[in-house]
Amino acid sequence: MFVLFLCNLSLAPAAASKNKVKGSQGQFPLTQNVTVVEGGTAILTCRVDQNDNTSLQWSNPAQQTLYFDDKKALRDNRIELVRASWHELSISVSDVSLSDEGQYTCSLFTMPVKTSKAYLTVLGVPEKPQISGFSSPVMEGDLMQLTCKTSGSKPAADIRWFKNDKEIKDVKYLKEEDANRKTFTVSSTLDFRVDRSDDGVAVICRVDHESLNATPQVAMQVLEIHYTPSVKIIPSTPFPQEGQPLILTCESKGKPLPEPVLWTKDGGELPDPDRMVVSGRELNILFLNKTDNGTYRCEATNTIGQSSAEYVLIVHDVPNTLLPTTIIPSLTTATVTTTVAITTSPTTSATTSSIRDPNALAGQNGPDHALIGGIVAVVVFVTLCSIFLLGRYLARHKGTYLTNEAKGAEDAPDADTAIINAEGSQVNAEEKKEYFI
C-alpha cells in the first residue's frame, strides 16, 4: 500500500515568479549509476550545486515517489533518508532484490522541472557449485565425465576447471536463463581418461563472478582410482659377495593395497628356507654362496590384477688380500764348507730366490711353494758341487804321490835296482822332510 504526500504550491506575485525562473537557469540535478549485490544496500544521491531553495524528489522505476525533500512518500521499511538539504537528497535502499533493479529519477522542481536518471544494477549471486558424475571407485583407464553446475547468477557466471592446480581448458560450457528471466544457470562438463597418477588428486570447479568480490566459490572432488600393483625389487647392496648377507625388498604399490608378496627362485620355491627368510616384503638371504645365483621373482596381487618383478643374483668372490712376502735368509752359507761354495752360493741363492712361478695366483694364501722349491734346489746343487770339487781334490793328491813313488825306477836296468833306487828316493825324501823340520 502506497501513501502519497501531496504538496500544495502557492503562487507568488508575477514579479517574484519571473526572478525565480531567471535564477533557476543554472540549476541541474546530478546523479550516478549504482551497482549493488543482491541483498546489499544501495545509496542513491542527487546533488544540486546552485539551488535557491528548490525542492528535490526521488522516484522509483515505477515512477512512485520515494522521498520529497525530507518527507517519506512510500511506505517501505527498506528505504531510509540519508541526508536532505537544498543541495543534496540521499536515500538508501537495504536488502536489495532483483526486482529493485531499474532506472531511478531525481527531480528538481524548477520551472520547468529538471530531472536526472540513475540506473540501479542488482547482481545475482551464484549459488555454491555442485559436482556430479563421480562414482567411486573408478578403474584405471576408464573415461570419467564430471559436471559442475551453479544457478542464480546475474549476469551469467564463469566456470573453470583445475586438476593439480593446473587449469583444464578443453571443457563444455552451457548457459540457461532461469524462470524469473533475470538470473542464469550455468554448467560445465569435463571429460578425461583416468590413470593411476590421478588417484587422490583433487579436481576443482571454480565459479568466478563479479558479485563475489574476487573470492570465487569452489567445489572439490577427490578422485579414487583403482589399479593393478606396480612392483620393484631393491637389493641392500649393489655388489653381493660370497659369505655376506643380502636383503631383497619388494616395493609394491597398488589400489587396493596389494596382499603379502610371493617370492620364488628360478620359477620354483625358495630352495633353502633356513637361509632364505621371508619377512613381510623382504627376502633375507644369510651367508651368500655360489648356489644362490639365479633369478628371484616377487609377485604382488590385489583385486584388480597381478604384477611381478625379477632380480638376477650373481654372487661375487671375496677379493683376496695380498700378504707381504717374507725374505728368507740364504741357508747355503751354513751348509757349504769349501771356499768355492761360499763365494758362489750367495749369488746363486739371490738369483734363484727371486724367481717366482708365473702360474702362481696373485695373492694366494699359504706357503710359497716356489720359494721353498728354489731353496731346496740351491742346497742340492751346492752339495753336489762340493762333492765334485772334493773328489777332484783327492784324486789330484793321489796322482802326485804315485808319480813321486815311481821316480828312480824309470832308469833301473832290473827290478832289484829299481827297488834300491826307490828306497833311496824314500830315504832322500825322509832326509828332505827332516831337513825341512
Side-chain angles (χ1 to χ4, degrees), residues 118-236:
Y119 196 90
L120 175 61
T121 301
V122 180
L123 301 178
V125 180
E127 297 176 358
K128 184 176 177 60
Q130 300 291 332
I131 296 178
S132 60
F134 178 76
S135 58
S136 179
V138 179
M139 302 302 169
E140 183 179 23
D142 288 353
L143 183 63
M144 178 179 290
Q145 185 178 84
L146 300 178
T147 300
C148 181
K149 187 175 182 180
T150 180
S151 301
S153 61
K154 177 183 173 298
D158 184 28
I159 295 180
R160 300 166 68 185
W161 288 94
F162 294 86
K163 186 172 74 169
N164 280 339
D165 296 329
K166 183 179 180 181
E167 185 174 2
I168 304 174
K169 297 290 188 180
D170 188 15
V171 296
K172 300 175 183 178
Y173 183 83
L174 178 63
K175 179 178 68 173
E176 297 177 338
E177 192 176 52
D178 294 335
N180 59 15
R181 306 186 65 85
K182 292 181 179 293
T183 59
F184 296 90
T185 295
V186 180
S187 62
S188 178
T189 302
L190 170 64
D191 297 323
F192 64 101
R193 195 170 298 279
V194 298
D195 56 32
R196 62 186 60 198
S197 64
D198 293 323
D199 183 52
V201 170
V203 177
I204 296 176
C205 163
R206 190 175 87 180
V207 176
D208 293 323
H209 194 264
E210 54 186 303
S211 66
L212 300 177
N213 296 325
T215 305
Q217 293 185 350
V218 297
M220 182 175 63
Q221 178 64 63
V222 179
L223 304 181
E224 182 181 359
I225 312 300
H226 284 193
Y227 54 93
T228 57
S230 60
V231 183
K232 181 172 63 175
I233 298 178
I234 304 176
S236 59

Side-chain angles (χ1 to χ4, degrees), residues 418-434:
I419 293 172
I420 295 172
N421 290 339
E423 292 177 352
S425 298
Q426 292 178 355
V427 172
N428 293 334
E430 292 176 355
E431 292 178 354
K432 290 180 181 179
K433 289 181 180 178
E434 293 177 358

Side-chain angles (χ1 to χ4, degrees), residues 5 35 106 109 117 179 218 265 268 306 322 368 397 425:
F5 291 90
T35 299
C106 175
F109 285 90
K117 307 294 184 179
V218 297
K265 179 189 176 185
Q306 176 182 324
L322 294 178
D368 194 338
H397 280 276
S425 298

Side-chain angles (χ1 to χ4, degrees), residues 259-282:
E259 300 173 0
V261 298
L262 175 65
W263 284 97
T264 59
K265 179 189 176 185
D266 296 330
E269 297 182 353
L270 298 177
D272 191 350
D274 294 334
R275 286 191 311 109
M276 300 178 178
V277 181
V278 177
S279 177
R281 302 181 184 278
E282 294 182 351

Side-chain angles (χ1 to χ4, degrees), residues 23 45 63 77 116 122 140 159 177 200 202 214 226 244 278 281 287 315 340 344 371 385 426:
T45 300
Q63 297 302 314
N77 294 332
S116 178
V122 180
E140 183 179 23
I159 295 180
E177 192 176 52
H226 284 193
Q244 295 181 348
V278 177
R281 302 181 184 278
F287 307 108
V315 179
V340 176
T344 60
L371 179 61
C385 290
Q426 292 178 355

